[in-house]
């Protein structure tokens, strides 16, 4: 747990969230400012700052998060598909420096 990390506090249950899923290693919760009709994030409970800070020992954890994405997306009604975004570093638009995978859907996304 990193001091003053909002997502660590959410993972620890110290700050409330609209929870989608939780197990020993990850938690998923709705974004406080949704950018789509359905917008939630999947995060590791471990404080990993970003993909820049992910290492070989995180391989299984990252795989688990990606494999959870379609399961949780379907549970949230996104049978049609969803967009996955990982912002990395200030140059990638990251604002919360605890690794998170955005899952968005329920509208027609802008073409990339
Ligand atoms: P980033 O730009 O770092 O990829 O995304 C951070 C996301 O976290 C933003 O979409 C923002 O709305 C969301 N966020 C920031 N603070 C909170 C919070 O306290 N609770 C929740 N549920 N989402 C948050
Ligand atoms: Zn953190």
């Amino acid at each position: 747990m990193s001091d003053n990390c909002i997502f660590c506090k959410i993972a620890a249950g110290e700050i409330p969230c609209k929870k989608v899923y939780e197990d020993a290693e990850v938690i998923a919760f709705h974004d406080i400012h949704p950018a789509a009709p359905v917008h939630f994030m999947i995060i590791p409970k471990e404080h990993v700052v970003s993909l820049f800070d992910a290492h070989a020992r995180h391989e299984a954890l990252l795989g688990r998060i990606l494999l959870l994405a379609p399961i949780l997306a379907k549970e949230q009604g996104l049978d049609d598909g969803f967009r996955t975004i990982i912002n990395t570093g200030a140059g990638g638009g990251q604002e919360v420096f605890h690794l998170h995978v955005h899952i968005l859907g329920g509208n027609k996304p802008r073409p990339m």
Side-chain angles (χ1 to χ4, degrees):
M1 169 132 180
S2 173
D3 288 347
N4 298 321
C5 172
I6 194 127
F7 284 3
C8 277
K9 288 181 178 162
I10 287 175
E14 292 172 11
I15 289 179
C17 69
K18 250 177 90 184
K19 198 191 300 179
V20 168
Y21 174 83
E22 179 172 15
D23 65 29
E25 293 179 319
V26 307
I27 183 167
F29 51 93
H30 290 279
D31 197 291
I32 205 164
H33 295 126
V38 177
H39 181 182
F40 64 94
M41 292 170 283
I42 311 175
I43 74 167
K45 288 189 170 177
E46 177 185 342
H47 182 77
V48 180
V49 172
S50 78
L51 282 183
F52 277 142
D53 303 276
H55 302 292
R57 69 184 172 85
H58 297 116
E59 189 173 325
L61 180 61
L62 293 173
R64 284 209 54 231
I65 289 173
L66 286 184
L67 289 174
L68 262 175
I71 295 168
L72 300 183
K74 282 187 180 171
E75 282 178 12
Q76 295 299 311
L78 302 178
D79 299 290
D80 209 25
F82 59 92
R83 177 165 279 176
T84 311
I85 297 174
I86 306 174
N87 295 323
T88 301
Q94 187 175 5
E95 292 186 325
V96 175
F97 287 87
H98 179 131
L99 178 61
H100 51 282
V101 177
H102 292 266
I103 309 293
L104 302 105
N107 57 359
K108 189 163 164 46
R110 280 179 284 123
M112 295 301 282

